[in-house]
Amino acid sequence: MDSATSDPRIPLGASADNGLKIVVVGGFGVGKTTMVRSVSEIRPLNTEETMTQAGAAVDDNSEVRGKSATTVAFDFGRISLDAHNVLYLFGAPGQERFWFLWDRLFSGTLGAVVLVDTRRIDDSWYAIDRLEHHGTPFIVACNDFGGPRHSPDAVREALDLDPRVPLVECDARSRESSKQVLIALVEHLRGHYAAQAARPRRELV
């Protein structure tokens, strides 16, 4: 899945007629902005603001002490799959006070990546719940923060994942690793929507 262009000054070609919307969701500080930045072929749009002491009572940053800025609306990036297909990437804000934005971000979404910090599994439940509520297919990507390793079965059990949901590992800082996550998502979506199309339609009587 090599991108068609890496120069942000080159506009999207007229032949790219399939824009596919993908959302990257997950808890606060799991690496959503980092993933969009690492993989985007254009200079990504970020709505980050500096974290201040005033927000300490609202956002629990005890597990992400090195974090100095946070997304307050969404991140946006783009990567071309080929001459005709482009992924538009939207990174959702992770704090609970911005969750009201998620339902709007999910509108028109083809699929999603749930980014997980295995040190804070509980932070991932809301993202999975909302995607399941919307019927949006997704995969789960465990971002490597250098902590203890967990077996895939242990992560699946902790997240109560459907067996059909792919689970992958990644390093959101790495462009190649983030691309592999998107490849896994696209392959999952291909199978998901092909299965939907193969189901017999019910006749209305």
Side-chain angles (χ1 to χ4, degrees):
M1 194 177 79
D2 291 332
S3 58
T5 174
S6 59
D7 190 338
R9 297 169 298 180
I10 298 177
L12 185 63
S15 61
D17 46 17
N18 292 320
L20 312 175
K21 181 180 177 182
I22 300 298
V23 175
V24 182
V25 294
F28 178 43
V30 296
K32 301 178 296 295
T33 297
T34 300
M35 174 170 280
V36 173
R37 282 178 176 170
S38 71
V39 80
S40 178
E41 68 191 14
I42 62 172
R43 179 177 297 170
L45 167 67
N46 298 125
T47 57
E48 283 198 315
E49 294 294 339
T50 301
M51 296 175 65
T52 65
Q53 192 62 36
V58 181
D59 300 324
D60 180 9
N61 66 345
S62 59
E63 299 293 335
V64 285
R65 294 203 178 271
K67 192 170 176 62
S68 60
T70 186
T71 299
V72 296
F74 61 85
D75 304 308
F76 174 77
R78 184 190 81 196
I79 183 168
S80 300
L81 300 181
D82 53 41
H84 298 282
N85 297 286
V86 175
L87 293 185
Y88 295 110
L89 308 175
F90 291 81
Q95 301 99 307
E96 184 174 353
R97 60 191 167 113
F98 296 123
W99 284 353
F100 71 94
L101 295 169
W102 287 21
D103 288 344
R104 294 193 177 188
L105 277 178
F106 291 166
S107 177
T109 297
L110 185 69
V113 174
V114 178
L115 203 57
V116 172
D117 178 352
T118 55
R119 303 170 301 176
R120 298 180 286 130
I121 286 285
D122 291 2
D123 293 353
S124 307
W125 288 347
Y126 182 78
I128 292 173
D129 176 75
R130 297 314 298 165
L131 290 168
E132 290 178 341
H133 173 78
H134 283 271
T136 304
F138 64 93
I139 70 169
V140 171
C142 295
N143 194 12
D144 182 10
F145 283 89
R149 307 287 290 186
H150 299 275
S151 71
D153 288 344
V155 175
R156 284 187 174 278
E157 182 177 358
L159 293 174
D160 193 24
L161 272 189
D162 187 300
R164 294 168 294 184
V165 175
L167 175 67
V168 299
E169 294 186 353
C170 73
D171 181 344
R173 300 167 298 180
S174 163
R175 176 176 174 81
E176 185 58 35
S177 182
S178 296
K179 284 172 62 177
Q180 291 304 314
V181 171
L182 296 178
I183 289 172
L185 175 61
V186 170
E187 290 176 347
H188 176 58
L189 295 178
R190 183 182 295 121
H192 173 84
Y193 289 112
Q196 275 194 344
R199 292 173 190 162
R201 297 183 179 179
R202 293 182 179 179
E203 296 290 338
L204 297 178
V205 286

